[in-house]
Amino acid sequence: MKNKTSFPPQEGETHPSRCPDNSAFKQQKLPAWKPHLTLATVLSTFFLTGAFCLSVGVCLILSANSVREIQIDYSEKCSDCSKLRENTSNWNKECHCFVNFTLKEDILGDVFMYYGLKNFYQNHRRYVVSRSDAQLLGRNVNIQKSSCAPFTTYQNGTPMAPCGAIANSMFNDTIDLFYNINSSVIQVPLLKTGNSWWTDKNVKFHNPKSYNVSSAFAETARPPYWQKPVYLLDEEDEKNNGYVNDDFIIWMRVSAFATFRNLYRRVSRVRQFADGLPAGNYTFHISYNFPVSKFKGRKHVILSTVVWSGGSNPFLGIAYVVSGTVAALTGFVITAIHLKLRKKKTYFQK
Amino acid sequence: MALSVDSALYRWQRPGAPSPSQTLSESTPLLVPVRDKPKLHLKKWRIVFPNKRGDGTDWKGASMLYSGNRIRTTKYTWVTFLPQNLFEQFQRLGNLYFFFLVVLNWFPQLEIFHREMIVLPLVVVLLASMVKDAIEDYRKYQLDKMINFSKTRIYDREEHAYIEKCWKDVQVGDFVQLQCNETIPADILLLHSSDQNGICHLETANLDGETNLKQRQVVMGFSRQNELFEPELFQNTIVCEMPNNDLNKFKGYMKKPNQERIGFNIESLLLRGCTVRNTEAAVGIVIYAGHETKAMLNNHGSRYKRSKIERQLNRDIFFCVGLLFVMCLVGAVGHGIWAGNFFEHPPYDIPDENGNFLSPVLAGAYMFLTMIILLQVLIPISLYVSIELVKLGQVFLIHNDIDLYDEEADLPIQCRALNIAEDLGQIQYIFSDKTGTLTENKMVFRRCTVDGIEFSHQENARRLDTHKELDLDDEDFANLQRFTLPPMDIEKSATSKQRSMRPLRRCQSARAHFQRHTRTRSLGRCDSNQSQVAFSSPIEKDVTPDSILLRRVREAALQTENLSPFIHMKTSTSLTDFFLALAICNTVLVSTATEPRQRVTVPPPIKPSGITLEKIHQIFQRLKLASLSQSFSSSQSSSDLGISFSAKNAPEYRAALECCDNDRDCGASGGGDELQGKDSTDIGSASLDEVFKSMTDSSLPTDFCYEAESPDEAALVYAAQAYSFTLVSRTPEQVTVRLPQGTLLTFDILYTLGFDSVRKRMSVVVRHPLTKEIVVYTKGADSVIMDLLEDSAKVDTSAERRMKRIKEKTQKHLDFYARDGLRTLCIAKKVLNEDDFQKWANFRQEAEAAIDNREELLMETAQHLETKLTLLGATGIEDRLQDGVPDTIAALREAGIQIWVLTGDKQETAVNIAYSCKLLKQRDIVFTINTENKETCESLLNLTLEEVRKNSEAEKPQRKIWGVIPTSFSASEAPSSEFGLVIDGRTLNVIFQAGLEETFLELTKRCRSVLCCCSTPLQKSMVVKLVRRQLKVMTLSIGDGANDVSMIQAADVGIGISGQEGMQAVMASDFAISRFKHLKKLLLVHGHWCYARLAKMVIYFFYKNVSYVSLLFWYQFFCGFSGSTMIDYWQMIFFNLFFTSVPPLLFGVLDRDVSAETLLGLPELYKDGQNSEIYKLSTFIITMLDAFYQSLICFFFPYLTYKDSDIDVFSFGSPINTISLLTILLHQALVMKTWTLFHLVAMVGSVVFYFVFSLIYNAACVVCNPPTNPYWVLEKQLSDPTFYFLCLITPITALLPRFFIFALQGTFGATLILKAQQVDKLPRGQQDLQIQKLRSRTQSPSSASVPSPVSNDDLKQRISHLCVSPFLHPVPAAVSHGDTASRGLSASEVNHLRKLTPEEGYYFFNRWAEEESVAADSSAEPSSGHYPLVPRRVKTPGQDDDKQTKDRAHNFNHGSHRRSVSAVTL
């Protein structure tokens, strides 16, 4: 009503026609493809999907089966050490443990050594965020403002380097592998670098700028659970020390599940290990530092190869096979229903 | 005198005595000049002082008291915008929810996301709404500004002249001078008009859309001022009522300095927004200004409606809230248990900043709140935003539909409500008005009866039919406009045997129409100012006179000469009286076609004063006998009559008269010999034409346009004109009519008693110029007039016996008209003697002078006058059905919509319109319930219900035949297809008062259609509300007039027809269409689409949110219910905001599950929406289950794949995010039925955008989003084959069940919608064929429900039983075909009619056919005029049993219908 009163009547005469455009869009007549589920398309879809999934699934299962993997739970076997670590006052005491195992056949190809933890909730919400990426980038930041709390500073004000709960709870067992051949013991050469993501090592993690690593961390203190400061993580290799230590970087990449493994070492393919690990008796020499008993955790050490389709997990293959089977069966069911109902369908059947 | 006025006066005159409310008036200098006078109660009365701008302070005070004329419709000001807008926004539930989440997230214990980040969505939403509100408000502001700065002329005391000022400066008490065509700036009391009668004409189209002119009268006492109005001298004080929004009521009085009071009412008030027309200048004083004007007080904002889907949606939102609660509870309890499992705190359980640990219970409690934040998306706030957007798009598309565009009015459909488009797809009940909605509201004169003799106007009927055909072809039409013939030539050509049925028009009407025609063509739109002016179309204007009646009229005109027998004389005078009444008993304004809207107010120069009718005739006779060869022109100099008569016609004329007699005899006796009759008619009419042609040619210009307040008045005037009783001019005092002789008679109008809906009649009291008699002509509804006729109980004289016979015959004719669907009006007259009139006039004057209960008094006086009338005759006016109404109704009915007609019209008319628009079918059994008694009503209802029940139960087994196409009938819903119910307003009242609603509804549920006649607007809305509330159905009301407003507002969807009766219905409506037939596409196509689209979209949104959020929930089981997320927060926000939002929106706007053509072809598809097939609880639950299944697959496939591996949190999350994106989009693709380029682009674009965005985000952001850091995650994943294998298999598996179901439905599914989709795939030619096939399929169950002969016999027995019951006894339908036959209605003519009126419905057709056969059957018998319709049905050979059944049903239904008449008498 208001609008109407406002417009002088003369205005109407110059007003263009209010007839809507006769365009395909406005008249909702856009050319359109209307998919229709006819019997032919439906059946072919099901059968083709089934066949495809089955074939892929078989390939995946075959490839997953070619993976060799050895997993040893050493939290039981090193029960003495485990008990020792239950008492936090013994944190400084060393404890070593030996775990023997036998390879029935050769593990050929690249062999990766993982440590596995069970029941360690690295994905806990407040745990995940308890870090300071800026600090790990080597920037001089006030970590008090970061989400590291309460693992930021000691009471005397010395900042922790690295800060946060993730770093504090870093896995610190040392695992060495020995090959027992003809009563002689050969240490399997293991590579401790190149295990982490390239981007992590070169982009996300940097030591603070300084002439050497130790001076870079001069003003800081180690996290409370640590036995040694961050600049002593790898005394042998300058490029694997401090924040850019591979073990540290890998630990900092928090795992998705409570049971997980982290790449620890790779077998260096030299001398008798050029093709992988030959069959025989081996011994893990473990320096047991990381306590798991208080959260009912388990520790594993795993030797495994990888294939193009991933690790030893056969699930994907099984999923493909099952899905493919189901799809094919569905196709048969539809065919059956169709055959049965065909006689009843009296009209409207092309 | 009114009591309230007295008391008010008393209050005013009471000295002092201030009440608390008067403090304001006391503190202002308002009452300075009247300080010594008593104060007025300002709470109740408004006092207005004239503006003494120069000197007085009193006026200033008043202006402070009353609001100025500046208007502000904006919501906010610059200052209040921010707080007020925020306040309003936070009243929305969604925003509050957001805010709640932000606050929750602020607590460190609960913080999941960054505090700043979670504020973001809220800020975005608030900002967007704020900008929208601001723009809206700014537009209003600009509009206000434009109005406020419009110019008008105000009297300035210093300048002593009217000076131009802005509207905003107008203040109460100002004198405003208005020019012609000026818009009125405020509510102004009219004090002076340039019109000599003190009348100012208004066009109120801006206010109510009514295009006819309204008259406003200068306040009494000022009206006779011929000199210029001098504001300086105006010293009066005005007392009137407080501002209110009633446009039709206003009262007050003016107090002169000498304490004399002058009353005035709404008739003197010029309302803001109206336009002054036809008046050179008007002066008035401002009474109300600005927001206090009636127009502004009536200006309500649009109301908010919530659609059915939204209501359902809210229910499901509550379900989601429940789900959220459960999930949070699971999280809280899980976390508590998990935390309680540790004897010692593990390294990953971090203490707070002070090194304290939470107890498991407290941690669980916190976790509950944390989970709310985490799973917030479960409450789909985004859904509301999306729905708004989609509805906007849908409304845009509806608005742009060219099929819903009316070229004539240049109006597309107007969608006034933006948020209920999808309700159009769910309508179950339609309540329709009749007049103007089903019919065109173009009144066409069809038949009349005078003195008990019916004149059928066959020629006119023929003309109308040809006109209709011609209307279709614009080209021909335009050509015909140029083809104008002198009036009598046309007449001749019609009666002679010309084969081409030319539309017959007179010059002036043709021209008027032609003007209008070109105007619409050239401008492309109807100019609101002029073309909506109530010039009638030629279809209404041109009435081809009935040849017999015309002859009689002319005979009457020439009668005195013949010295005919008395009985003839009698007839002739009543004929004259009849047409005089038609011409003058109205309020029609006359203007000339050359100057439309310029009223002919000055009576024509010649006044045949002092000439009696006898004298005219004497002169006439003399002229003839003298055989003068010279012609008498109606020269202005001659004071005698202006008749030109060529004497050489005289013998022919005599012959013609004889022929006429012969002809009539022939027609009555022979009936079949058409040729002879025709010929003789020709001769007769031709010669008569010659006579009259010369007369009319020589007289005054005939170009008159009539502007009437109601179209039927104009129709009557045009009808009178056709018989040469031309209304020449009308002033409030006088009315001039040109008689067939060419004489101009000027009647003094003594009183006009206007029409009102209570009296249902109007009268004029005139003084006959010749006889000096005071005559009252009354015109009104037959039910009223018949009761007011002179009591002829004691039949003693032959005249009175005759009167009685005439009355009976007329009543018969009236019934017959009503059955034809004609509107009937009775015309009556009464002659008053001088004394009686004086007595009455005094009484009347008193009543007029009264102020307060004036209406009642006026009514009383009117009723006092309108008694003991003499019946002159009756007219039948046709209200033509709109184009495509029967088709639309049939389609809507097939769509399963129950259609009720609620009308204020009388029962017979309504029933017949119902038949002709196929609302009722011939074989329907119609129950009519008319009663005023509660018990009767109850028993009637029960009885009828019992009958209906029995009958429908008998059919049920038949209906249960289950074809392959399942008919979605449930027993309760299934409207029995063969019952109709007719009920009137009084009965409705009884039903409402006696609490019989449930029985009534139970009955109506089983009836195919329901007609409520004689119902008031209030009853209409009550019926709508009753059905809507009690049956819980979706209702739609459609109407065009102000009386439909309440009904429109009461329904779920209100549709206004922008037609003849103004804008009120449109203003109140949600959608405004211009034709009833548009309803078909609006509901069947757009309604279906909108519903299907929105329903599917809503379901999809629920699915989308649940399936996505569940992923996070499942993860809680693997992270100790700690509220971790494996997906980066930004990606989560973007997922809903961008990655998956466009395809569903596009889907919601553009999807077409079935093409428009198929939807129109198969109305049954509409039932989907009606039964809420797409979005109902079961669908929702299934969708929820599917969502859970899919999310389980989407989560556990990656989980099982990456289990026990070295996968990190975000590397695990990114494939999940990708998979779920693919699944959700593919799901959408499965649901989508139409793929246009837009869809494809949106789909592909969404996926591409996801990858591009994620890759960039993951590569660019090293520390930008601490502490979560998805750096390089996706890049790494993309280099891993596992990722691809996972992304392939998971969506396949997730969508397998849904696809399976779709596949089953698609290949075996027998729902109609799927069949329709299949039809769409076919090539054009086959489509129609298949649609026909499907239709016959779907209709087979209903055709099976047609009662078999056996059951019908059964029924008949029961019915006959019913009939003997005291309430319902059959009255045979009496058709006065005797008259028809006697007038020579030959069989061929009937056949012709049958051929010509197929669109008028079978009812019409059948009736004629029956009549015809009856006539043929009984030709030997003396025609008594009373033929019971039922027993005389003659079987034609070849009728099968089915036909008989139908006929029987038909007969029966007549019977049942007619029963109603007797029921009325209860």
Side-chain angles (χ1 to χ4, degrees), chain A residues 27-28 123 125 256 313 320, chain B residues 400 1093 1115 1122 1124 1200 1285:
Chain A
Q27 300 310 317
Q28 309 199 47
N123 55 11
R125 175 169 58 93
N313 195 336
Y320 267 92
Chain B
N400 273 295
R1093 289 165 179 171
Y1115 190 58
S1122 61
S1124 278
L1200 290 169
F1285 281 118

Side-chain angles (χ1 to χ4, degrees), chain B residues 673-684:
Chain B
D673 198 353
E674 178 206 11
L675 205 70
Q676 191 197 334
K678 276 277 177 191
D679 279 339
S680 56
T681 315
D682 286 344
I683 298 164

